Amino acid sequence: MNQPLVLDGLKVADDVKAKLQVRVHNLKEKEITPCLATVLVGDDPSSATYVKMKGNACEKLGIQSKRIHLPSETTTEELIQCIQELNSDSLVDGILLQHPVPAHIDERAAFEAISIEKDVDGVTSFGYGQLAFGFGKYPCCTPAAIMAILDYYDLPMEGKHAVVVGRSPILGKPVSVMLLNRDATVTTCHSKTQNLADLVSQADIVVAAVGKPNFIQGAWIKAGAVILDAGYNPGNIGDVDYEACYTKASAITPVPGGVGPVTISMLLKHTVDSAELRAKK
Ligand code: NAP
């Protein structure tokens, strides 16, 4: 078997960002600066790092980053009020509430408070419903990244059997509906799935979204399958046993350098999409 194509997320992200740069420039000529508001609650160091990375990525591209940091003691009501103020701020194009918020906060209620027009991270149930019906504007960023990688490398989805391992609201479920909307035949697996190895071995496209290091085994992979590893576990380890799956796949994303870098570029893209809609008003 030939060596598989290694799906380079950095290359895909650079391509997305180069196109965005032109669009940001055009918006600035109309005196509009796209703006992403990030809301961080509490002092979780990983969350602080993720928010900082997203803010820095915005600024590099000329997108304004409005960073809001609320104390750990913030109540659900106070967080919702903050989100509502951002909803009403005509200069804010997108709102990202960093997950997870402290346990005493009703995170779902806070996500649902984000207006659909500014839900650039695709976290509201309204946004998910629109996505499932096939007309959502802003899908969750990691599923959008997976689709962007498939499209960049011109890997067909139509008629293919896609097996998604994981069904979380931010990853497994939305990527399943996105693949379905692109005419793949989709099997979504989860912790209660029986015969997981058998199901994965039937897949033309495997999406790993499990949160368990090296979980997807080489022996499960059909020769020539396309493998997308959304997993990101401590020590930069994906959900796919890369070495073992590499020998079977026709194309595979590495970790790091696969899905991760494209995810942030999707957030930037959705913010610019939203700013362009503001420019048309
Ligand atoms: P999650 O909310 O913990 O969901 C994990 C999913 O895997 C659940 O649906 C769970 O099933 C399923 N699962 C667990 N054990 C399983 C098993 N033995 N067999 C089959 N399915 C099993 O995780 P997530 O937020 O979706 O994240 C998944 C991975 O993606 C993590 O590694 C995370 O770090 C990574 N991630 C990466 C990015 C990125 O930008 N690259 C962004 C977000 C997340 P149940 O529903 O039955 O519990």
Side-chain angles (χ1 to χ4, degrees), residues 108-248:
R108 183 45 34 205
F111 278 146
E112 296 299 341
I114 299 172
S115 81
I116 186 75
E117 290 80 17
K118 299 190 180 187
D119 180 20
V120 290
D121 202 25
V123 292
T124 62
S125 56
F126 194 15
Y128 177 79
Q130 291 192 342
L131 181 72
F133 280 158
F135 60 86
K137 276 201 209 78
Y138 310 123
C140 281
C141 293
T142 305
I146 289 169
M147 303 304 282
I149 292 170
L150 288 167
D151 280 331
Y152 180 87
Y153 284 98
D154 232 347
L155 296 165
M157 292 168 246
E158 186 183 316
K160 302 292 179 191
H161 184 191
V163 174
V164 177
V165 189
R167 59 170 167 181
S168 71
I170 58 138
L171 224 175
K173 272 186 193 156
V175 79
S176 295
V177 297
M178 290 173 89
L179 286 161
L180 182 63
N181 289 341
R182 294 289 297 272
D183 297 323
T185 302
V186 182
T187 302
T188 308
C189 304
H190 47 82
S191 65
K192 309 289 187 297
T193 296
Q194 294 182 4
N195 305 323
L196 181 67
D198 282 353
L199 290 167
V200 174
S201 72
Q202 293 167 35
D204 304 305
I205 299 171
V206 179
V207 177
V210 199
K212 295 195 165 156
N214 297 324
F215 181 78
I216 304 289
Q217 305 293 301
W220 303 356
I221 302 297
K222 178 164 89 175
V226 171
I227 304 178
L228 298 126
D229 186 355
Y232 194 68
N233 303 290
N236 277 347
I237 297 169
D239 287 350
V240 168
D241 181 350
Y242 185 83
E243 299 304 329
C245 292
Y246 180 91
T247 59
K248 296 279 207 62

Side-chain angles (χ1 to χ4, degrees), residues 32-113:
I32 287 186
T33 300
C35 172
L36 175 71
T38 56
V39 183
L40 171 67
V41 189
D43 299 311
D44 175 54
S46 319
S47 294
T49 305
Y50 290 141
V51 165
K52 197 171 160 195
M53 276 167 60
K54 290 166 189 171
N56 291 348
C58 281
E59 282 159 7
K60 258 190 169 168
L61 215 69
I63 296 172
Q64 190 194 341
S65 160
K66 185 179 171 99
R67 306 179 195 205
I68 295 165
H69 189 177
L70 300 172
S72 309
E73 318 77 70
T74 303
T75 63
T76 302
E77 292 68 28
E78 286 165 340
L79 176 56
I80 289 176
Q81 194 188 335
C82 166
I83 289 168
Q84 283 167 346
E85 282 165 18
L86 294 170
N87 285 340
S88 320
D89 185 338
S90 60
L91 298 180
V92 168
D93 298 297
I95 301 170
L96 176 131
L97 171 60
Q98 183 61 44
H99 161 86
V101 295
H104 67 274
I105 293 178
D106 182 344
E107 184 177 78
R108 183 45 34 205
F111 278 146
E112 296 299 341

